């Protein structure tokens, strides 16, 4: 059981990294990775919301939608839950943990339209994970997002000092750099099986 | 206030404000589904449908939706149409459904759709919004198809494989072989790094196309800042 959870966890971080191999959450990946501290802030908010959203959507899908044959409402219900959750979280943090709100607050509204969150909740259902596996998978996916953001913000600092051709300036060269980062993550393929298998 | 012409609204999305290459919206599905050109077409058409319908509905309701809760309202409208598309695709094009996988429900959080709802449909009339939706959709579909073409030809040597799922009159296993099978395909193109790479190159190409001085047009007044 523990081994299986560890496999899911590390697979989500290294092998199936949501940003670099599944292309989820590319918008914040390109938009917020310019500075290290904002990259970390955004990623921590994502980890938090991802776990909360999974904890909320999994029981709703399993105990409410599936028994009543309303699986087709999944998309609408999930996105509304995520939107409400983000709003609640924002109000909660503002009132009770103002320090955390100041560091994460600006990123929270962006998270509703971050496809990693909706992606992980739907994929957990599609993969037929149980509740604990889903939570572990969400935590792993969030940490994978953090790893990718932090690594890439370092890559970006180097790229910005380079002088590419005029039409490559800005995003195009950043994307080419992302291709290299993603190539390096391909090297992790099989590592989890080799360790735990 | 000068109204932009209807044609201008329609063609805006195709190159000048191409949602993917110029506005950098909706990058996730762009990178994820373009391993094959036919998937690009399928994804593009699905997103175009959602974009058109949600633009029309949101623009029709723009005076009724209270400003403070507009984003949740927009998302609900969009999620409704995405569910429609999901059910239609599942029923009639099952091969596309399995190829697009989780990216089909993720059209909900595609920033092109919410972005156009917020930036255009909530401020303009129904007809203009519909045209804007179609234009943006065409721009999205074209970009996805071109990108899918590049990645598919380089990565697996074929073109339009899987189109038989979209067009039922084509024979099963339809594919146009561009590069002979004796040459090993450049498989990295169909995996993640190739996606980022082709996207970067295409964005550079779009920047070059829109920023170079027009042939026959007067030289820019500032003089050569476009170089």
């Amino acid at each position: 059981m523990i081994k299986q959870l560890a496999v899911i966890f590390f697979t989500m971080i290294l092998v199936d990294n949501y940003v670099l191999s599944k292309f989820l959450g590319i918008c914040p990946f390109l938009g917020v990775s310019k500075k290290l501290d904002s990259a970390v802030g955004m990623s921590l908010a994502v980890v938090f919301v991802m776990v909360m959203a999974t904890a909320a959507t999994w029981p709703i899908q399993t105990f409410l939608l599936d028994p009543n044959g309303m699986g087709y409402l999944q998309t609408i219900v999930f996105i509304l839950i995520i939107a409400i959750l983000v709003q609640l979280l924002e109000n909660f943090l503002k009132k009770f943990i103002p320090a955390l709100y100041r560091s994460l607050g600006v990123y929270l509204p962006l998270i509703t339209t971050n496809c990693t969150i909706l992606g992980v909740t739907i994929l957990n259902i599609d993969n037929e994970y149980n509740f604990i596996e889903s939570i572990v998978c969400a935590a792993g996916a969030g940490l994978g997002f953090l790893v990718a953001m932090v690594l890439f913000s370092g890559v970006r600092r180097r790229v910005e000092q380079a002088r590419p051709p005029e039409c490559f300036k800005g995003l195009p060269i950043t994307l080419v750099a992302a291709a290299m980062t993603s190539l390096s993550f391909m090297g992790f393929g099989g590592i989890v099986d080799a360790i735990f298998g | 206030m000068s109204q932009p012409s209807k044609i201008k609204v329609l063609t805006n999305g195709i190159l000048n404000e191409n949602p993917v290459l110029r506005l950098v919206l909706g990058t996730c599905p762009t990178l994820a589904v373009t391993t094959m050109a036919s998937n690009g077409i399928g994804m593009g058409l699905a997103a175009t449908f959602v974009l058109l319908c949600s633009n029309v509905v949101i623009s029709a309701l723009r005076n009724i939706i209270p400003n403070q809760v507009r984003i949740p309202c927009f998302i609900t409208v969009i999620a409704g149409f995405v569910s429609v598309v999901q059910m239609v695709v599942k029923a009639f094009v099952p091969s596309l459904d399995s190829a697009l996988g989780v990216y089909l429900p993720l059209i909900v959080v595609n920033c092109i759709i919410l972005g156009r709802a917020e930036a255009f449909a909530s401020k303009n009339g129904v007809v203009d919004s519909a045209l804007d939706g179609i234009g943006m959709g065409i721009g999205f579909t074209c970009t996805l198809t071109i990108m899918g073409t590049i990645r598919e030809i380089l990565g697996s040597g074929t073109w339009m494989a899987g189109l038989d799922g979209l067009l039922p009159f084509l024979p099963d296993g339809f594919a146009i072989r561009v590069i002979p099978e004796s040459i090993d395909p450049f498989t990295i193109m169909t995996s993640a790094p190739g996606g980022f790479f082709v996207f970067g190159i295409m964005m550079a190409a779009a920047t070059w196309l829109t920023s170079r001085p027009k042939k026959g047009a007067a030289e820019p007044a500032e003089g050569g800042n476009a170089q």
Side-chain angles (χ1 to χ4, degrees), chain A residues 20-27 72 75-76 79-80 112-113 115 118-119 122 167-168 171-172 175-176 178-179 182-183 186, chain B residues 24 27-28 31-32 75-76 79-80 83 86-87 102-103 105-106 108-109 111 114 188 191-193 196-197 199-200 203-204:
Chain A
L20 293 170
S21 64
K22 286 203 175 159
F23 300 124
L24 293 170
I26 300 292
C27 302
Y72 61 90
T75 315
I76 299 184
I79 190 72
L80 286 179
T112 315
T113 53
C115 33
L118 187 63
I122 293 178
C167 59
F168 270 95
L171 267 182
L175 281 164
V176 175
S182 148
L183 197 62
M186 280 185 86
Chain B
V24 203
T27 45
C28 310
L31 288 164
I75 290 185
T76 316
S83 300
Q86 247 182 306
M87 283 189 245
V102 73
Y103 298 99
L106 286 180
V108 178
V109 284
C111 9
L114 192 62
I188 194 86
S191 54
F196 282 113
F197 189 69
F199 191 24
M203 203 182 272

Side-chain angles (χ1 to χ4, degrees), chain B residues 111-142:
Chain B
C111 9
I112 297 177
I113 296 167
L114 192 62
R116 291 324 284 176
E118 170 80 11
F120 198 92
S122 61
K123 300 188 184 79
N124 289 280
V126 174
V127 178
D128 277 356
S129 301
L131 290 176
D132 179 74
I134 295 175
M136 285 286 160
I138 294 174
F140 187 59
T141 313
C142 290

Side-chain angles (χ1 to χ4, degrees), chain B residues 13-104:
Chain B
I14 297 174
L15 185 62
N16 279 336
E17 275 191 33
N18 184 301
V20 182
L21 298 173
R22 304 291 299 163
L23 306 179
V24 203
L25 296 171
T27 45
C28 310
T30 308
L31 288 164
V33 304
T34 52
T35 50
M36 293 201 294
S38 59
N39 286 351
I41 297 178
M43 182 71 190
L45 292 181
T48 306
F49 172 78
V50 176
L51 195 52
L52 172 63
C53 296
S54 67
N55 258 7
V56 167
V57 170
I58 287 167
S59 143
L61 295 176
R62 70 185 185 281
N63 296 326
I64 303 172
I65 297 175
N67 205 30
Q68 297 87 340
V69 292
R70 65 183 192 287
I71 301 286
C73 294
F74 293 171
I75 290 185
T76 316
V77 170
I78 295 167
F81 284 115
V82 170
S83 300
V84 171
V85 168
Q86 247 182 306
M87 283 189 245
V88 169
V89 170
K90 251 194 195 110
F92 293 103
V93 209
S95 64
L96 185 66
D97 179 61
S98 56
L100 296 183
V102 73
Y103 298 99
L104 201 55

